[in-house]
Amino acid sequence: MNHAPTAVVDVPPEPRPAGEGATRAPSPAGRPRKARRLPWGKWAEIALLAGPGIVVFVAFVIFPVVMAAYYGFFRWKGYGPPTDFVGLQNYRLILTDPAFQDALAHNGFILIMSLVLQGPAAIGVALLLNKRMRGRALIRVLIFVPYVLSEVIVGIGWGLMLHTTGAANDLLARIGLDGLTRDWLADPDVAIWSLMAVLVWKYIGFAVILMLAGLQSIPEELHDAAAIDGASYWKAQRYITLPLLGPTIRIWAFLSIIGSLQLFDLVYVMWGQYVASTAGTSTMATYMVVNGRISGSYGYGNAVAVVIFLISLTIALVYQRFVLRRDTEGALTGGAS
């Protein structure tokens, strides 16, 4: 049975309502898009969760810094309202005082030597403890124990051992090395190195734990592939482990720098109020306490605190800008290029 050909009629598609698969037209060039406004419920949630933290931060960080800057413009004895306004005189005296310049130099020396001594040693110990070996857990605990000890306990213990009649000189004398006995705490030639030995002993455990955490986040398949390609153990560490451990090293270095700039308790306990300056181990923080609280010049002490804060803040911002920038950008963007 023959059928006549059916005519094909083009029916125009029905217009789609906006929002159902329709592509939004690009906004005209030069016209900024309006930011999406958060509903009141979201703002209330943000205020409820972040509000207490912001209040605590303002009360215990921002407000004390502002008040310290205010008192730094006065000659103040620590009681009553400050009335003897001296302007920038305290700050000029700080920056021109040779004792403060020596303390700043000591902080700089401690900062550099902490990075030079603790960093490579912590990486080496972490690489060793990252392997399967008997007693590994015990060694990790023993290395980390000094870090959790109080600075006062560490300072008193090491101060007694490094005294002229302490255990260090007694041990050297017993093994026939009398010529190496020193006044480890008062001799300006060796006192700063005694301090560095104590600092490395106490804080290397924290660095080792950080490095171990970074090493355990590196996939083992990368080392297996390098071994198959014929790379030696040291080449694998140089071209695989160290680059991937870079973010951990940079974070540890940042914490070490800030801690070196604010070092106080160990020096104050081991050397006391005035010996640190003559022994060459004074820091900016000990200078602040001795010339501020102990001498009764609280206005001057507040000015020193502000100077220490500004130095630490400047170094932290520079480090963040030029060293940690890549790590923070990767964290914020999820590693997308």
Side-chain angles (χ1 to χ4, degrees), residues 243-265:
L244 294 178
L245 197 60
T248 303
I249 296 175
R250 289 187 285 270
I251 289 296
W252 165 80
F254 177 75
L255 298 176
S256 180
I257 289 171
I258 298 302
S260 299
L261 293 174
Q262 300 175 352
L263 179 63
F264 166 74
D265 32 25

Side-chain angles (χ1 to χ4, degrees), residues 44-332:
E45 182 180 355
I46 293 173
L48 180 63
L49 297 176
I54 295 175
V55 171
V56 171
F57 181 77
V58 172
F60 292 98
V61 177
I62 302 300
F63 181 72
V65 170
V66 173
M67 293 305 298
Y70 171 73
Y71 288 128
F73 292 112
F74 293 87
R75 186 179 291 110
W76 184 50
K77 295 298 181 180
Y79 54 87
T83 57
D84 190 1
F85 181 80
V86 294
L88 297 176
Q89 180 179 343
N90 286 334
Y91 296 96
R92 286 196 296 266
L93 181 59
I94 293 169
L95 298 179
T96 56
D97 187 2
F100 180 79
Q101 296 172 1
D102 291 341
L104 179 60
H106 298 156
N107 278 107
F109 178 83
I110 293 169
L111 187 157
I112 295 173
M113 295 309 299
S114 295
L115 297 178
V116 171
L117 297 178
Q118 292 186 43
I123 294 174
V125 174
L127 288 173
L128 178 64
L129 295 180
N130 198 42
K131 297 181 176 181
R132 290 188 177 91
M133 55 183 295
R134 297 182 63 180
R136 181 175 63 173
L138 178 61
I139 297 175
R140 289 181 180 181
V141 172
L142 293 177
I143 289 177
F144 192 67
V145 163
Y147 177 72
V148 300
L149 292 178
S150 168
E151 279 78 3
V152 175
I153 296 175
V154 173
I156 293 176
W158 277 97
L160 293 174
M161 287 190 293
L162 295 176
H163 196 266
T164 52
T165 58
N169 283 338
D170 183 66
L171 177 62
L172 291 174
R174 286 177 181 271
I175 62 177
L177 298 177
D178 304 68
L180 296 180
T181 57
R182 295 285 188 278
D183 190 349
W184 302 100
L185 298 179
D187 187 350
D189 294 331
V190 297
I192 191 69
W193 293 105
S194 301
L195 175 60
M196 286 308 309
V198 177
L199 290 175
V200 171
W201 176 84
K202 176 168 175 54
Y203 293 108
I204 194 173
F206 175 70
V208 169
I209 293 299
L210 279 182
M211 301 305 172
L212 274 174
L215 288 174
Q216 292 175 0
S217 65
I218 299 175
E220 190 63 30
E221 292 80 4
L222 296 178
H223 294 281
D224 296 338
I228 293 174
D229 290 339
S232 64
Y233 173 80
W234 295 111
K235 283 190 175 181
Q237 306 311 314
R238 177 181 177 183
Y239 294 105
I240 296 177
T241 303
L242 289 181
L244 294 178
L245 197 60
T248 303
I249 296 175
R250 289 187 285 270
I251 289 296
W252 165 80
F254 177 75
L255 298 176
S256 180
I257 289 171
I258 298 302
S260 299
L261 293 174
Q262 300 175 352
L263 179 63
F264 166 74
D265 32 25
L266 272 176
V267 177
Y268 193 78
V269 172
M270 292 180 65
W271 279 270
Q273 300 177 6
Y274 305 105
V275 179
S277 58
T278 58
T281 58
S282 61
T283 63
M284 292 186 291
T286 60
Y287 175 89
M288 174 187 67
V289 172
V290 171
N291 293 277
R293 184 179 66 84
I294 296 177
S295 64
S297 302
Y298 285 86
Y300 187 79
N302 279 278
V304 177
V306 172
V307 172
I308 297 174
F309 170 77
L310 292 177
I311 292 174
S312 302
L313 179 63
T314 301
I315 293 178
L317 292 177
V318 171
Y319 192 90
Q320 169 80 19
R321 175 66 177 81
F322 294 102
V323 180
L324 290 181
R325 180 180 181 183
R326 181 176 59 182
D327 299 332
T328 55
E329 284 181 352
L332 293 175

